[in-house]
Amino acid sequence: MDWITCTKSFVTVVDQGSLAQAATKLNTSSSALSKRLAWLEKQLGVQLLKRTTRSLTMTDAGRLFYQRSARLLDDWHQMLAETTSTYGDVSGVLRIGAPLAVGSRLLVNYLAEFIEVYPNIQVELHTITPGQLPDLNLDVFISKELTDFNSSSYIATKLFNFRHGFYAAPSYLEGKPLIDSPEQLTQHNCLMFGTHGHEQEHVFENEVRVRLKGNFTTQNPEALVAAAVAGMGIILAGENTVKRELSKGLLVPVLPELRQPVSSAYAYYPKLDYNHVKTKLFIDFIKAKSNPAHS
């Protein structure tokens, strides 16, 4: 008996939901798994699983042990793979955290190509709250620059610059006077992103302030872009966010000289005792693909 084998058996039993299914996955017998679980519980001095003929549930101690050990096992296998593999052969799960707008409108386009280049890497994309601090359960965390993150536990690296401008569908602009000043925006229906109601004030370059009003607010970036494409009004968004719609002529810039100050997106990842190859590959890939001209 050893800790790694028995811990892996416990995690697999929980993941599979039964001894029989776990035994099949691990190519062993249910009785062998039972012995490993009994050894593990004896060493820990606590009960990890409640087993009956019909069900298998974790105790509170088992739930805590599962959460931590599943992560540690993944890191262990990753360390072994990264020690013996070349970059082209890297495999395993890459857990990425990103705000919904970044994940659904920007990263997804990059991830398709990233997975094509590195087909053995499995990606999990988790939605995070804007401004949320890094999560140790994630391999890399995409966010605007954070001023209060734990620099002793995390490394921060800048990915790309971005800034927001105004866009609308040709159908919305058709028949309306040309918009050639910020003041004229207040006469138009602006589609709002976030939870701040139907009236928002935004600051632009040269300290220009514009109070926007509109009849549609959402926290869903896909719904916001779809509403703009449908001709419901003008949106304030990053160029990369609406890149696809711009290329197809579904949206066009409005007052392009009026843009918000440049912001930066950063990748935050935990400091580890070994090189985190999957994370490095992902960060380098995004940096290479992010066109500085779009900042």
Side-chain angles (χ1 to χ4, degrees), residues 242-251:
V242 294
K243 183 178 180 180
R244 183 170 63 245
E245 286 73 20
L246 289 171
S247 67
K248 296 180 178 180
L250 299 174
L251 295 176

Side-chain angles (χ1 to χ4, degrees), residues 48-67:
L48 298 175
L49 293 171
K50 295 178 181 178
R51 283 168 278 174
T52 68
T53 55
R54 293 186 177 181
S55 67
L56 183 151
T57 58
M58 284 185 287
T59 63
D60 290 341
R63 188 171 293 104
L64 175 63
F65 187 74
Y66 170 81
Q67 292 171 347

